[in-house]
């Protein structure tokens, strides 16, 4: 499984493994169809093999994070997953989810972005979330690509000092590296 995941040689010396990805919790939401989008990305479903890693870079300039989830699907499962996520990204624009403390809610919005040329097909989007009434917005950049029967989700949190254009460029570079890893492994 490790051969399908981004490695130190793909990311550089400043990145460190921060463990495996946790499955998201089910939260109360104002739009259950949109909450399922995120949960489905991490769900093993009918896949035969799932692997995940979190990476973190901490420096004086920025704190960045990467989450990668790779799945190997039976039959047309990979195509179906990309199609389902693409439809969800088009349908879901904003919703709220219950927070951990009473009176607090996550306000999320999702917007399509330009998908990188990675694998056989890809869909890209960005989540912007705000927790509580006075908190700053936090944005993650995401891509799900398919190469044959393998899907790879990359979630990139670029830190607050990175512009949207630079973050999307970095996401495209990560997706290209991840697609090359999958192509080499299969």
């Amino acid at each position: 499984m490790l051969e399908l995941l981004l490695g130190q040689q793909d990311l550089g010396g400043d990145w460190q493994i921060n463990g495996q990805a946790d499955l998201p919790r089910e939260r109360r939401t104002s739009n259950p169809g949109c909450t399922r989008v995120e949960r489905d990305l991490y769900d093993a479903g009918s896949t035969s093999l799932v692997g995940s890693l979190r990476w973190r870079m901490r420096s004086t300039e920025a704190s960045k994070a990467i989450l990668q989830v790779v799945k190997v699907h039976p039959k047309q499962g990979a195509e179906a997953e990309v199609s389902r996520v693409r439809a969800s990204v088009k349908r879901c624009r904003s919703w709220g989810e219950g927070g951990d403390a009473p009176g607090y809610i996550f306000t999320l919005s999702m917007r399509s972005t330009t998908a990188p040329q990675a694998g056989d097909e890809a869909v890209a989007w960005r989540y912007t979330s705000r927790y509580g009434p006075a908190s700053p917005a936090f944005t993650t950049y995401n891509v799900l690509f398919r190469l044959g029967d393998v899907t790879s989700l990359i979630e990139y949190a670029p830190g607050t000092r990175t512009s949207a254009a630079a973050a999307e460029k970095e996401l495209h570079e990560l997706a290209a590296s991840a697609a090359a890893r999958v192509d080499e492994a299969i």
Side-chain angles (χ1 to χ4, degrees):
M1 174 49 70
L2 288 177
E3 65 272 4
L4 295 173
L5 294 164
L6 290 168
Q8 192 74 54
Q9 67 276 21
D10 303 309
L11 300 174
D14 293 338
W15 288 92
Q16 297 177 346
I17 291 179
N18 200 30
Q20 288 190 305
D22 298 325
L23 295 177
R25 295 182 314 227
E26 185 89 33
R27 292 190 174 111
R28 286 178 296 164
T29 179
S30 63
N31 187 337
C34 293
T35 300
R36 282 194 305 271
V37 173
E38 186 174 350
R39 187 180 66 242
D40 287 349
L41 287 169
Y42 297 89
D43 183 36
S46 63
T47 59
S48 58
L49 187 61
V50 177
S52 62
L53 277 179
R54 286 188 184 279
W55 291 85
R56 178 156 309 274
M57 176 197 290
R58 289 191 178 104
S59 70
T60 56
E61 294 180 17
S63 176
K64 300 180 179 192
I66 299 168
L67 160 67
Q68 183 183 17
V69 178
V70 175
K71 301 180 198 176
V72 179
H73 300 263
K75 299 181 183 172
Q76 284 78 36
E79 290 176 18
E81 181 172 62
V82 173
S83 177
R84 183 183 69 246
V85 170
R86 183 177 284 117
S88 295
V89 170
K90 288 179 183 176
R91 181 184 73 247
C92 296
R93 290 291 170 236
S94 65
W95 65 98
E97 293 182 356
D100 299 326
Y104 282 84
I105 191 165
F106 283 102
T107 304
L108 292 120
S109 64
M110 186 162 51
R111 190 177 129 219
S112 296
T113 60
T114 304
Q117 297 295 316
D120 297 325
E121 62 179 323
V123 59
W125 67 98
R126 67 182 184 195
Y127 279 120
T128 301
S129 61
R130 188 179 304 272
Y131 182 66
S135 69
F138 179 75
T139 302
T140 59
Y141 296 80
N142 305 266
V143 65
L144 176 70
F145 71 84
R146 177 186 69 82
L147 185 58
D149 294 334
V150 176
T151 58
S152 182
L153 165 70
I154 298 173
E155 181 181 289
Y156 177 53
T160 56
R161 295 183 181 177
T162 306
S163 71
E168 285 189 31
K169 181 178 184 242
E170 291 168 0
L171 177 68
H172 286 216
E173 291 168 357
L174 289 168
S177 295
R181 292 282 293 201
V182 171
D183 190 40
E184 188 177 294
I186 60 173

